[in-house]
Amino acid sequence: MLTVDFSRFPLAPGDRVLDLGCGAGRHAFECYRRGAQVVALDQNGDEIREVAKWFAAMKEAGEAPAGASATAMEGDALALPFPDDSFDVVIISEVMEHIPDDKGVLAEMVRVLRPGGRIAVTVPRYGPEKVCWALSDAYHEVEGGHIRIYRGDELLGKMREAGLEPYGTHHAHGLHSPYWWLKCAFGVENDKALPVQAYHKLLVWDIMKKPLATRLAERALNPVIGKSFVVYATKPHLPETSAAAGPAAEGASESTKAPAKATAKSGAKAPARSGAKAPAKSAAKTSAKTSAGAAK
């Protein structure tokens, strides 16, 4: 289940992609399938180890094209271990609402994104998220939980303040908002409530089968109750100060690109292959139950 719409946020084979706060790796896997050089980074070591296993399984199953690479690593979003201008693309999905210093995270993403590069930011949408908070304190008052609710104009303002130029927005996962409202109403940890179980089965069926009826329903619901707010932006090129400075600046840019590529590829052989024998397509089926709730 993807929150980023790759028809609005296209990738080219060979693009250097950072999936920041990758979680279970859903966007990183899609970028890898599209031929990118992917770095999936998260502070949760258990999730990173699982992502590394699935990267290995995808490679073994032939799901990634030639030239694609994938690395999973632990890291701190406020102190990224990469040089300036390391990536062509940065994705941060359903992460910023967890981090107190969201401006610091934006600054780090802008630093490692090359001029002209693209960024996708997704956060829970204001209206549906307010309903969840009103229904349940346990939904957000947990360690590592949501600490803020973004209004759309607030997020756009912070991105512009960080030096980004937003070029598109939309809402996603309209079918998922009612699921989380039910979860909050019956108890966030109560998966045995019949309405919750029934709706979860609907979401799993939708993810696996992608029937036309639910696709049309979600398209109609997204503008009204879409669970996620998605913003696409670019990092502008720096203006040239003078004609004489042009070649020097170009040389400096090239000098930063070389180590950036090496960084994105470094450790590509590190993900362990143990336990990764099953093809990743089978993994999509076995993980559909957890994916159904991933829009949180």
Side-chain angles (χ1 to χ4, degrees), residues 51-71:
V51 170
K53 289 178 182 178
W54 291 121
F55 277 153
M58 290 174 67
K59 183 176 181 179
E60 188 169 314
E63 290 197 31
S69 64
T71 302

Side-chain angles (χ1 to χ4, degrees), residues 50 74 91 144 279 290:
E50 285 300 310
E74 289 185 58
I91 297 171
T290 55

Side-chain angles (χ1 to χ4, degrees), residues 22-296:
C22 64
R26 56 202 172 103
H27 288 105
F29 299 150
E30 181 64 20
C31 294
Y32 190 30
R33 289 187 187 99
R34 290 171 179 262
Q37 299 173 17
V38 184
V39 175
L41 184 144
D42 201 285
Q43 67 176 1
N44 187 316
D46 291 337
E47 287 193 311
I48 283 298
R49 283 184 283 276
E50 285 300 310
V51 170
K53 289 178 182 178
W54 291 121
F55 277 153
M58 290 174 67
K59 183 176 181 179
E60 188 169 314
E63 290 197 31
S69 64
T71 302
M73 60 185 296
E74 289 185 58
D76 182 355
L78 290 166
L80 295 175
F82 310 111
D84 297 355
D85 308 337
S86 292
F87 295 95
D88 303 299
V89 172
V90 176
I91 297 171
I92 183 167
S93 182
E94 312 300 302
V95 173
M96 288 181 56
E97 67 275 10
H98 297 270
I99 301 177
D101 186 8
D102 58 344
K103 290 186 178 181
V105 172
L106 279 169
E108 272 294 88
M109 289 190 292
V110 171
R111 180 184 67 78
V112 301
L113 184 66
R114 68 164 176 81
R118 290 156 290 128
I119 187 168
V121 178
T122 91
V123 298
R125 184 182 185 177
Y126 183 83
E129 186 75 349
K130 284 286 285 186
V131 174
C132 288
W133 284 45
L135 289 172
S136 171
D137 290 337
Y139 171 82
H140 63 96
E141 291 183 356
V142 295
E143 184 178 356
H146 299 188
I147 63 171
R148 70 173 65 83
I149 306 175
Y150 286 101
R151 291 187 180 274
D153 56 356
E154 176 193 3
L155 178 59
L156 287 166
K158 288 185 175 183
M159 291 176 67
R160 291 189 181 102
E161 185 181 340
L164 295 167
E165 294 182 351
Y167 68 84
T169 67
H170 65 89
H171 299 99
H173 308 315
L175 286 176
H176 288 249
S177 289
Y179 171 75
W180 283 103
W181 296 341
L182 287 171
K183 288 272 287 181
C184 291
F186 286 93
V188 175
E189 301 298 329
N190 181 13
D191 293 328
K192 295 183 179 180
L194 291 179
V196 175
Q197 287 185 337
Y199 204 102
H200 189 268
K201 288 180 180 179
L202 169 67
L203 294 180
V204 172
W205 175 69
D206 172 58
I207 290 170
M208 297 306 302
K209 301 297 184 181
K210 297 180 175 61
L212 178 60
T214 56
R215 295 300 86 213
L216 292 175
E218 180 142 281
R219 188 180 303 173
L221 289 172
N222 280 343
V224 184
I225 57 170
K227 183 76 171 65
S228 295
F229 177 56
V230 187
V231 182
Y232 305 112
T234 59
K235 177 180 175 179
H237 289 277
L238 294 175
E240 294 185 9
T241 56
S242 67
E250 184 178 351
S253 176
E254 291 302 318
S255 70
T256 58
K257 285 182 181 178
K261 290 183 179 178
T263 302
K265 293 181 180 178
S266 63
K269 296 182 180 179
R273 301 179 66 87
S274 60
K277 297 285 186 180
K281 289 183 180 177
S282 300
K285 295 182 180 179
T286 59
S287 63
K289 292 186 179 180
T290 55
S291 296
K296 181 180 177 184

